[in-house]
Amino acid sequence: MKLRFPRFSWRWSVAPAGYRAQGALAALLIAIGGGAGGNLAVHELGGLPDGAVFRVGDTVVTAAELQQRVSAMEFLYGLQQPADPAGADQFRRSVAKAVAVSMVVDGAAREAGIAIADKAAGDQLNRLVTDSGTDRKGLIQQLGAHGLSEQDVLDEIKRQQAGARLFQQVTAPVKAATDADAQQYYDSHRAEMVSPEQRELANIVVSSPEQAELVAQQARAGGDFGALAGQYSIDGSTKGSGGSLGSATASQLDPGYAKAAFEAAPGSVFGPVQTQQGWNIGRVVAVRPGSPMSFDQVKDAIKTKLDNDAKLEAWDDFLVAEIRSADIEYAPEYQPADPDAPPASGR
């Protein structure tokens, strides 16, 4: 069971290049186990002690504390550390920077007088537990198995809510985009203003690559795809309808599955492709090409994008000032490439 936390509109992901988080993980700003201050050790300024990852002001985070937070991310968000040495090195530096910046934001939120009530955090936890399909007892058991407590999760929710309120305060002066702004953007990006290609797909999910190959061979040999789905698919939500997935854009699908589906010719069978659900054999039922969109069709979406971009720019400027004044010092093996810059916003 993984709790999937909602993300703020300001995406400040610092995941390593090539790393792709599952589900809702878009940011690595988790500070499970104390936040700025809390259970973290306080040391005199002037150099980092042995085993330290970084220092923010007079608060030092050790490698053991950082690893505990990474373990929490793995449980709460399905975070996976890269196995290759280069990816692991970049991951380590990115996580260190993310947690350091989260502590800076925590401090800025406190200075702004932002405090989250226990009830607000508890209400959100209740919604998350319900959405995850478990109950409070099951949650506590899962947390205990990972060395975490319910209070750890509540503290994380409070940090997220406090950060979101701080973002709202910082970006409140940003002026909303006008229709004229949207028209200018539309005119300069007209070639991009097209609806994405959609493909109507059918799919069969099986549990092993060997069975997937056998099903794919039957489908390519002219076997009735719908009948094969009814016979073999372990996807209870689609096997009764011949494996129909309906129409989808590439962005709505698992990346590996989307690549195979959108490279296949109309009417053809593709796969097997492995996803979290199992081994998939797909068929392209129909293709709906992308088409140009009018200004009226995209005006609201453009204005939303321009508003978000302006807010993210204001937020980044705020973060730069806060980071530079926070006196952050990293151990060499955790030093990020640009320690004074805010984590990438994902724009």
Side-chain angles (χ1 to χ4, degrees):
M1 183 272 294
K2 295 285 188 295
L3 292 184
R4 299 300 184 187
F5 284 81
R7 291 290 141 197
F8 306 147
S9 60
W10 42 274
R11 294 162 296 168
W12 46 357
S13 172
V14 292
Y19 167 76
R20 190 175 184 89
Q22 299 295 323
L25 180 63
L28 302 181
L29 289 169
I30 319 306
I32 295 291
N39 297 327
L40 302 178
V42 177
H43 298 265
E44 295 183 0
L45 300 183
L48 292 174
D50 292 341
V53 172
F54 64 80
R55 173 179 55 78
V56 178
D58 61 356
T59 302
V60 170
V61 173
T62 67
E65 289 166 334
L66 184 65
Q67 183 55 51
Q68 181 186 9
R69 297 178 185 186
V70 171
S71 298
M73 295 179 206
E74 291 173 344
F75 172 73
L76 295 172
Y77 303 99
L79 177 66
Q80 295 179 353
Q81 302 182 53
D84 63 290
D89 179 72
Q90 188 174 2
F91 177 89
R92 180 174 63 249
R93 298 173 190 271
S94 296
V95 170
K97 180 175 181 177
V99 175
V101 173
S102 77
M103 292 172 61
V104 172
V105 172
D106 289 345
R110 288 194 301 271
E111 290 180 5
I114 296 173
I116 305 300
D118 292 341
K119 184 179 186 305
D123 289 345
Q124 184 172 338
L125 178 57
N126 290 335
R127 291 191 294 270
L128 291 169
V129 170
T130 299
D131 292 344
S132 70
T134 185
D135 55 22
R136 190 63 67 96
K137 180 179 179 180
L139 168 68
I140 293 173
Q141 291 175 342
Q142 290 284 336
L143 289 171
H146 289 78
L148 303 170
S149 69
E150 183 176 342
Q151 189 60 50
D152 291 332
V153 179
L154 289 169
D155 289 343
E156 165 60 11
I157 292 173
K158 286 186 177 182
R159 281 188 288 273
Q160 286 204 11
Q161 292 181 348
R165 290 190 191 177
L166 180 64
F167 176 82
Q168 292 172 353
Q169 286 189 14
V170 170
T171 61
V174 175
K175 294 182 179 180
T178 64
D179 288 354
D181 296 329
Q183 182 69 62
Q184 182 179 9
Y185 184 91
Y186 177 85
D187 292 340
S188 61
H189 296 79
R190 192 178 294 268
E192 304 169 18
M193 300 300 157
V194 295
S195 61
E197 176 183 319
Q198 294 189 34
R199 295 200 162 199
E200 185 179 347
L201 304 169
N203 191 59
I204 298 170
V205 187
V206 295
S207 57
S208 71
E210 295 79 15
Q211 187 179 25
E213 288 290 353
L214 291 174
V215 174
Q217 290 175 11
Q218 294 181 56
R220 291 191 175 99
D224 185 298
F225 197 91
L228 291 172
Q231 181 178 356
Y232 293 108
S233 184
I234 59 175
D235 183 357
S237 64
T238 62
K239 67 179 300 178
S241 58
S244 175
L245 296 179
S247 294
T249 63
S251 64
Q252 295 174 312
L253 302 170
D254 173 270
Y257 186 88
K259 185 176 187 298
F262 278 74
E263 288 180 351
S268 67
V269 173
F270 61 90
V273 180
Q274 186 179 21
T275 66
Q276 288 186 333
Q277 285 69 44
W279 289 87
N280 300 261
I281 306 94
R283 179 174 178 270
V284 181
V285 179
V287 176
R288 299 177 186 174
S291 59
M293 302 180 72
S294 69
F295 174 68
D296 286 341
Q297 287 178 295
V298 297
K299 179 180 69 175
D300 290 342
I302 291 174
K303 289 171 73 174
T304 298
K305 170 183 167 49
L306 294 177
D307 287 344
N308 287 341
D309 285 352
K311 290 179 179 180
L312 286 169
E313 183 176 359
W315 176 251
D316 283 353
D317 290 344
F318 170 80
L319 276 185
V320 167
E322 292 293 317
I323 291 170
R324 289 177 177 173
S325 64
D327 188 24
I328 303 175
E329 180 182 359
Y330 295 93
E333 62 271 29
Y334 291 92
Q335 176 86 8
D338 192 350
D340 289 340
S345 65
R347 280 176 284 177

